Amino acid sequence: MRILGVDPALRITGYGLIDFKNNKYRLVEAGIIRTDARQSLAQRLNKIYQALFKLVDELKPECLVLEKLYAHYRHPTTAYQLAHARGVICLLCAARNIPLFEYAATRVRKAILGRGNASKYQVQRMVLNILSLNSLSLKYTDITDALALAIAHTHTLRSRL
């Protein structure tokens, strides 16, 4: 199964596609989509949409996985911007008929490490270990967060069987 994990943000959106077959993981592609803060909100959202549209066309994921939106009352602007980025990704899934799954960050960490309060660094190390990668191959936590979403989804799939 080809699973695309996306860690959306307005500045840097991380993505990672894994292939999961016979209980084995294989990294297909991972990277970031960077937008320019000098551009308008509409231009930045369009860049995220167009880049993911191209990825979906090329890589043909069977599903897409996002982190559930968590809004902290002290940072409403962050939640607002994140919601915009998530919105274009949800639109893409609907337009391309790609199943969309969402998981809370604590659930992803629990699936990856067995506990929901793990640090970003711990998640990053475990993702690299699961995919048999060295630490230099994925320098952005946005990428490893996206891959963690995809890996966590496989845990959910296995528990349903």
Side-chain angles (χ1 to χ4, degrees):
M1 172 171 239
R2 293 172 79 92
I3 304 166
L4 179 61
V6 180
D7 182 31
L10 206 48
R11 191 172 69 82
I12 295 176
T13 293
Y15 66 88
L17 183 84
I18 62 168
D19 194 21
F20 181 68
K21 287 184 185 166
N22 302 322
N23 285 331
K24 292 186 181 174
Y25 298 95
R26 183 178 65 86
L27 175 64
V28 177
E29 184 170 331
I32 60 166
I33 302 162
R34 186 186 305 267
T35 65
D36 186 345
R38 294 172 294 196
Q39 291 182 316
S40 70
L41 176 63
Q43 290 172 315
R44 295 172 82 181
L45 293 172
N46 185 53
K47 181 170 184 176
I48 293 168
Y49 182 84
Q50 294 298 326
L52 286 174
F53 189 94
K54 184 178 177 184
L55 279 169
V56 164
D57 262 3
E58 291 173 6
L59 302 175
K60 312 243 183 292
E62 294 173 51
C63 66
L64 194 142
V65 186
L66 285 175
E67 187 176 304
K68 282 188 178 177
L69 183 60
Y70 171 76
H72 195 280
Y73 71 93
R74 291 184 190 162
H75 308 287
T77 303
T78 303
Y80 170 75
Q81 291 175 343
L82 181 59
H84 278 81
R86 287 173 42 83
V88 297
I89 295 166
C90 293
L91 174 63
L92 172 66
C93 288
R96 300 302 307 273
N97 201 27
I98 299 170
L100 175 65
F101 298 90
E102 297 178 272
Y103 299 106
T106 53
R107 185 168 177 191
V108 172
R109 290 184 205 120
K110 188 165 184 145
I112 300 291
L113 289 154
R115 56 194 179 96
N117 64 346
S119 71
K120 275 193 173 287
Y121 175 75
Q122 290 170 315
V123 171
Q124 183 180 42
R125 296 297 310 154
M126 186 56 81
V127 166
L128 293 170
N129 185 41
I130 290 169
L131 295 172
S132 301
L133 301 170
N134 66 44
S135 61
L136 300 175
S137 56
L138 301 174
K139 67 178 187 174
Y140 292 96
T141 57
D142 306 275
I143 298 171
T144 51
D145 287 349
L147 290 167
L149 285 160
I151 292 167
H153 183 63
T154 67
H155 290 261
T156 300
L157 293 175
R158 286 188 282 181
S159 68
R160 290 182 186 165
L161 299 176

